[in-house]
Amino acid sequence: MPELQLRRPSNSELVISCGAVDLATYVFIPPATRSEAPKPYLHPLRTLSGAPLTGFRPWDHRWHKGLQMTWSHVSGQNFWGGPTFSPETDYQWRDNLGTIEHDGFPGLSASPDRISLGEALTWRNSAGERWLSEQRETVFSSVDVQEQSWQLDFTTELTNVSDRSLDLGSPTTHGRANAGYTGFFWRGPRSWTGCSILGPEGADGEAMMGASAPWIALAGQNDELDGGATIVALAGTSSSAVPLKWFVRSEPFAALAPSPAFDEEITLAPGESLRLQHRYVFVDRICERDDIERIAKGASL
């Protein structure tokens, strides 16, 4: 069984590898411009054979970077990057871009079958004020050579450390239909444009946009290597009464997020916390529905 390994090639990134393949690079101090709302991100992500699973700084949205925790509307601030939506002006660039800063790894551990990145972070608004503290854990595990898969678990707790209530929303909560993007957001490679979208009980396609479902799967073709891959994403849990709903599309590009505030805002009072847990399984082949349902059942949280 190939073993997981953790290395730190620089003071700004960690690399998780399995055998000769770098499965994930975590850039925790990003070299990003202010317009991209700097924040940590995972890119590239790869299958066990090395096929690419993420896109990075595409020309249409430079602030889309692999897989990253982010939020588009927080009491007038934009931690997503790019322009901000309002019903009066549509998307406009504003001086409201926040940053998510890495404070340290208080819980870093590595074994041959599990690597855990326990991290502390601070969310600062455009004026540099501390609005949210975050404790997150990103776990890489469950390498399965027979299944050709590996698993990523993401758990986070966001705590309001400001002196005001914070409203966490999305463009949809501000009036734009089917634009509930926020939270743990994945941007797919260009080759995944037009990829298949499958959900439980025979659901499929972009009808899954805004759906509340325990899991969703995307299957797309590879560039660089022959064949394709499948991502089985489990929505997981939220401590909020607002239900998790999927932001998902395959056109004009592939994107996915278990949105915590798709069409309803979450309000955090000072000192209050929001806890989220998600799980993604990356499979090194195009899976049929039966396979996907079996994998989703086996990986359920």
Side-chain angles (χ1 to χ4, degrees):
M1 178 72 67
E3 297 182 350
L4 292 170
Q5 295 182 320
L6 175 66
R7 68 180 190 275
R8 189 168 185 161
S10 73
N11 290 328
S12 62
E13 63 182 34
L14 298 171
V15 175
I16 294 86
S17 61
C18 183
V21 175
D22 291 343
L23 296 180
T25 297
Y26 184 50
V27 180
F28 54 89
I29 302 177
T33 63
R34 188 61 179 267
S35 65
E36 296 169 9
K39 66 186 74 67
Y41 59 85
L42 285 158
H43 174 81
L45 293 179
R46 295 187 180 275
T47 66
L48 290 179
S49 68
L53 289 166
T54 47
F56 180 75
R57 294 194 75 241
W59 63 265
D60 50 79
H61 295 78
R62 295 296 186 197
W63 46 96
H64 289 186
K65 297 183 175 73
L67 183 58
Q68 56 186 346
M69 180 62 193
T70 182
W71 216 290
S72 52
H73 287 255
V74 181
S75 293
Q77 293 287 297
N78 175 355
F79 291 90
W80 183 268
T84 300
F85 176 82
S86 75
E88 297 80 16
T89 62
D90 200 72
Y91 283 97
Q92 296 290 331
W93 287 94
R94 300 178 186 173
D95 186 21
N96 69 338
L97 293 166
T99 59
I100 304 174
E101 300 175 356
H102 167 81
D103 294 330
F105 288 112
L108 202 65
S109 65
S111 66
D113 59 356
R114 186 180 188 273
I115 290 174
S116 174
L117 312 182
E119 185 179 12
L121 306 99
T122 297
W123 296 44
R124 296 185 184 275
N125 69 6
S126 56
E129 299 168 336
R130 293 179 71 244
W131 269 20
L132 293 161
S133 70
E134 181 183 2
Q135 299 292 323
R136 74 171 62 162
E137 183 182 31
T138 309
V139 177
F140 308 81
S141 68
S142 302
V143 173
D144 188 327
V145 174
Q146 183 174 356
E147 191 72 81
Q148 300 174 276
S149 66
W150 64 277
Q151 180 175 294
L152 183 148
D153 284 282
F154 180 82
T155 304
T156 184
E157 182 172 88
L158 297 169
T159 301
N160 181 355
V161 294
S162 75
D163 59 1
R164 54 169 293 181
S165 290
L166 296 176
D167 297 321
L168 284 65
S170 72
T172 296
T173 66
H174 286 68
R176 183 170 183 249
N178 289 331
Y181 52 80
T182 207
F184 198 45
F185 179 78
W186 170 83
R187 172 67 188 249
R190 287 286 174 190
S191 65
W192 281 55
T193 302
C195 66
S196 300
I197 301 172
L198 298 174
E201 299 179 358
D204 61 15
E206 297 199 14
M208 292 299 296
M209 176 68 84
S212 183
W215 60 266
I216 199 168
L218 281 71
Q221 296 292 332
N222 299 328
D223 277 338
E224 300 181 28
L225 297 177
D226 294 339
T230 303
I231 298 174
V232 182
L234 281 74
T237 61
S238 170
S239 64
S240 171
V242 176
L244 292 163
K245 295 184 178 181
W246 291 106
F247 175 85
V248 62
R249 61 168 40 137
S250 62
E251 299 281 357
F253 52 80
L256 174 69
S259 175
F262 187 93
D263 53 10
E264 184 178 351
E265 285 188 334
I266 296 170
T267 298
L268 290 183
E272 191 174 5
S273 298
L274 171 69
R275 293 173 296 280
L276 303 167
Q277 182 181 18
H278 312 301
R279 174 172 290 169
Y280 287 7
V281 180
F282 302 103
V283 189
D284 207 358
R285 65 183 188 281
I286 299 286
C287 294
E288 299 297 329
R289 176 173 286 279
D290 287 350
D291 253 0
I292 291 170
E293 292 179 346
R294 176 181 52 78
I295 291 168
K297 183 177 180 180
S300 60
L301 289 162

